């Protein structure tokens, strides 16, 4: 197998691993991301491996997409007891951030605040969520 071909397969596997890591508890997102990754790689199946410039550009796009998934996407789940949404913040989310003073809100850090923490969230329809989003820190990646 050529080096270029093995790099394409490695990028494909990398995209699938990232989607599995980010969407592991969301069946719909898992299905849709699988479909999208397969479609995008399928669209570019005709690219000649000899066209190094175009291939490098596509592989770079895969790296950017994986980076976005791992660092830019955070899912929240609704806590049935409180009705709040809980977002799991992983160390990947805190890497390469521009603001060094970002602090994860924990029960300990919340007691130091004069007002309880809240995160405003707006749905695609433009309406604001009824319940606040509560952020929990996760040590595992």
């Amino acid at each position: 197998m050529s080096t270029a071909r093995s790099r394409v397969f490695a990028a494909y596997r990398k995209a699938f691993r990232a989607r599995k890591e980010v969407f592991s508890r969301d069946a719909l997102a898992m299905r849709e991301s699988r479909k999208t990754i397969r479609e995008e790689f399928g669209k570019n199946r005709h690219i000649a491996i000899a066209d190094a410039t175009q291939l490098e550009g596509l592989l770079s796009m895969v790296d950017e997409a994986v980076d976005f998934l791992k660092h830019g996407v955070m899912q929240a789940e609704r806590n049935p007891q409180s009705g709040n949404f809980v977002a799991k913040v992983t160390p990947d989310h805190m890497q390469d951030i521009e603001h060094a003073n970002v602090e994860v809100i924990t029960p300990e850090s919340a007691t130091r605040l004069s007002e309880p923490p809240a995160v405003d969230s707006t749905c695609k329809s433009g309406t604001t969520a009824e319940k606040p989003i509560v952020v929990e820190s996760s040590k595992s990646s």
Side-chain angles (χ1 to χ4, degrees), residues 28-45:
L28 177 61
M30 286 289 282
R31 252 190 330 272
E32 292 300 316
S33 61
R34 176 181 182 270
K35 181 175 140 188
T36 300
I37 291 168
R38 290 177 60 104
E39 284 174 0
E40 290 301 314
F41 273 83
K43 274 192 240 179
N44 296 299
R45 185 174 289 228

Side-chain angles (χ1 to χ4, degrees), residues 34-120:
R34 176 181 182 270
K35 181 175 140 188
T36 300
I37 291 168
R38 290 177 60 104
E39 284 174 0
E40 290 301 314
F41 273 83
K43 274 192 240 179
N44 296 299
R45 185 174 289 228
H46 69 281
I47 302 297
I49 291 178
D51 188 355
T53 305
Q54 191 171 9
L55 184 62
E56 288 301 321
L58 291 170
L59 291 173
S60 176
M61 286 175 54
V62 172
D63 287 339
E64 289 174 13
V66 166
D67 185 60
F68 177 77
L69 279 174
K70 291 176 104 177
H71 298 101
V73 176
M74 182 185 312
Q75 290 201 307
E77 292 180 24
R78 189 176 192 143
N79 181 330
Q81 288 86 21
S82 67
N84 293 337
F85 286 88
V86 179
K88 299 287 185 183
V89 179
T90 66
D92 283 338
H93 291 112
M94 301 302 286
Q95 282 182 346
D96 303 322
I97 55 174
E98 294 178 22
H99 308 290
N101 62 350
V102 172
E103 181 181 352
V104 176
I105 299 170
T106 63
E108 295 80 28
S109 65
T111 60
R112 295 191 309 259
L113 300 172
S114 59
E115 295 181 23
V119 177
D120 291 331

Side-chain angles (χ1 to χ4, degrees), residues 4-21:
R5 188 174 170 93
S6 64
R7 289 180 62 209
V8 170
F9 283 125
Y12 187 77
R13 288 189 304 270
K14 185 178 181 180
F16 267 83
R17 280 192 303 269
R19 96 182 226 286
K20 188 176 181 183
E21 183 180 316

